[in-house]
Amino acid sequence: METCLKEELNTSLLTAVGHARGGCISQGWSYATDRGRVFVKINHRPEARKMFDGEAASLEAILKTHTVKVPRPIKVANIPSDGAVLIMEHLDMNPLSIYAAVLGEQLADLHLHNQKLGRKLWKERTTIGMPGNNSEDVQFVDQFGFHVETCCGYIPQVNEWQSDWVTFFTCQRLQPQMDLIEKVYGDREVQELWSQLQLIVPALFCDLEIIPALLHGDLWEGNVAEENSGPVLFDPASFYGHSEYELAIGKMIGEHCETFYSAYHQKIPRAPGFKKRLKLYQLFHALNNWNHFGLAYRPLSLKLMRHLLNSL
Ligand SMILES: Nc1ncnc2c1ncn2[C@@H]1O[C@H](COP(=O)(O)OP(=O)(O)OP(=O)(O)O)[C@@H](O)[C@H]1O
């Protein structure tokens, strides 16, 4: 493994620094190298290469917006035995505390970034003498999806481009989770609820204009931190989607402090129907957790489905 890392990084120095860090999905180590300190995530699953290619592409996309700090990806490589590594910039991170409000503002900036590009492009196209050629480093995106698959956990997400958000979320987020549950558990009750629920999903989005926003895509408290100089996000599973989707997982797993939400909503106010849609978005994460961690997430999934069915 160390020989492989030395080759990939073209470094003669490779000294492990500090402790191994284990997330739920991968293992991580920091190393001192000729090019400075790096953080290496290692995963031995068959999906590891796809996971890490998606994570690296997500980090690149967020970096290009210059809105919120994420570690700079350096390389994704296969490892000789099995699996893959993602090598990235090492950051000295502490739990989020004093920068919660700054993170709220910066996350809103990330979500507004594509919208701003769209406005700029429209202005250029409608102003005589301006090129209007979408020539920024990051281009305006008018659909939902992403250019590569990204994994929320280790399950790949269907990121094919789609112009309608409700279709995207129903067919490319909820349906694949339902299909996995059907395959592994053959759960009739959940399938019956789903057949009713999918009919009413569009009603949750009445009169709402949704402009694709670049999302972190897996924003739970375990993927949020701060350095001495400001907040940091890591471990993204990005795609262009509805900005409200991003807030669902934090609400489900534990409250980020209120200062985070109020700073965020000063820039992106809650739209009518926000609370109900949050439940719908929480349903995705409950199902995704069920597919990763098992039946303990079934009661929450059923509860959210019944709640949504009864609320309309
Ligand atoms: N660039 C980095 N520099 C230093 N430490 C990092 C870096 N990225 C991640 N870490 C540390 O490693 C831990 C695990 O990383 P990460 O969350 O990316 O792993 P994972 O297994 O994909 O996560 P999850 O549990 O969210 O599925 C983090 O909690 C963090 O402490």
Side-chain angles (χ1 to χ4, degrees):
M1 178 66 199
E2 301 218 333
T3 317
C4 158
L5 280 176
K6 276 187 172 172
E7 270 173 32
E8 292 296 342
L9 285 166
N10 193 18
T11 179
S12 49
L13 172 71
L14 189 82
T15 312
V17 186
H19 308 289
R21 309 270 187 127
C24 303
I25 308 293
S26 303
Q27 286 290 309
W29 279 270
S30 289
Y31 290 95
T33 72
D34 296 348
R35 57 199 294 172
R37 211 159 150 185
V38 298
F39 185 75
V40 179
K41 272 176 82 166
I42 302 169
N43 190 289
H44 296 285
R45 302 184 71 91
E47 311 89 335
R49 178 73 200 222
K50 186 180 280 185
M51 279 168 46
F52 288 155
D53 280 336
E55 185 173 336
S58 304
L59 292 169
E60 289 286 359
I62 297 172
L63 273 174
K64 282 186 185 163
T65 67
H66 303 287
T67 52
V68 57
K69 180 148 187 182
V70 293
R72 189 175 48 82
I74 297 169
K75 199 160 200 183
V76 179
N78 295 330
I79 44 179
S81 46
D82 54 345
V85 290
L86 166 58
I87 306 165
M88 66 184 109
E89 171 188 15
H90 168 94
L91 298 177
D92 275 325
M93 300 192 286
N94 296 307
L96 183 71
S97 73
I98 60 167
Y99 288 116
V102 181
L103 180 64
E105 284 168 24
Q106 293 184 351
L107 187 71
D109 291 339
L110 173 68
H111 290 169
L112 292 171
H113 185 264
N114 187 51
Q115 182 175 330
K116 284 186 182 156
L117 285 180
R119 286 213 186 113
K120 190 163 173 252
L121 185 65
W122 182 83
K123 204 169 160 194
E124 284 174 3
R125 283 191 178 152
T126 53
T127 306
I128 296 165
M130 290 183 87
N133 58 3
N134 214 0
S135 61
E136 299 270 338
D137 189 21
V138 192
Q139 299 211 331
F140 173 63
V141 171
D142 63 357
Q143 296 194 72
F144 303 98
F146 203 54
H147 59 288
V148 294
E149 274 183 309
T150 49
C151 298
C152 192
Y154 55 77
I155 298 178
Q157 308 186 106
V158 185
N159 281 340
E160 278 153 36
W161 296 105
Q162 164 63 248
S163 56
D164 178 62
W165 169 250
V166 178
T167 308
F168 178 90
F169 186 67
T170 312
C171 302
Q172 296 180 213
R173 287 294 178 270
L174 291 179
Q175 188 64 57
Q177 295 290 337
M178 290 296 170
D179 291 345
L180 268 179
I181 286 170
E182 171 64 13
K183 194 168 143 199
V184 179
Y185 300 95
D187 192 313
R188 288 223 6 223
E189 197 176 354
V190 78
Q191 293 302 332
E192 271 162 27
L193 288 170
W194 174 230
S195 61
Q196 295 169 47
L197 185 59
Q198 50 187 309
L199 301 176
I200 62 146
V201 169
L204 295 169
F205 292 87
C206 281
D207 302 325
L208 205 63
E209 189 200 6
I210 301 175
I211 295 164
L214 180 63
L215 306 179
H216 173 282
D218 189 9
L219 194 71
W220 70 291
E221 57 192 340
N223 289 341
V224 170
E226 64 185 38
E227 297 180 300
N228 289 339
S229 56
V232 179
L233 298 181
F234 55 96
D235 197 17
S238 291
F239 61 98
Y240 284 84
H242 186 195
S243 54
E244 288 177 357
Y245 172 92
E246 192 90 291
L247 304 180
I249 189 164
K251 290 267 186 203
M252 182 169 75
I253 291 178
E255 289 287 298
H256 289 299
C257 29
E258 265 318 304
T259 46
F260 165 83
Y261 287 110
S262 61
Y264 179 90
H265 288 303
Q266 294 226 332
K267 291 200 167 190
I268 305 183
R270 290 185 179 90
F274 171 81
K275 280 192 172 165
K276 276 188 199 162
R277 288 189 297 277
L278 219 54
K279 297 270 181 226
L280 183 72
Y281 295 146
Q282 285 169 0
L283 176 61
F284 168 80
H285 294 294
L287 296 170
N288 190 42
N289 283 348
W290 182 351
N291 280 317
H292 277 89
F293 307 117
L295 281 165
Y297 285 91
R298 182 178 186 270
L300 176 61
S301 305
L302 293 185
K303 187 175 159 198
L304 285 166
M305 292 174 100
R306 290 201 186 97
H307 177 94
L308 283 159
L309 283 165
N310 293 332
S311 68
L312 278 174

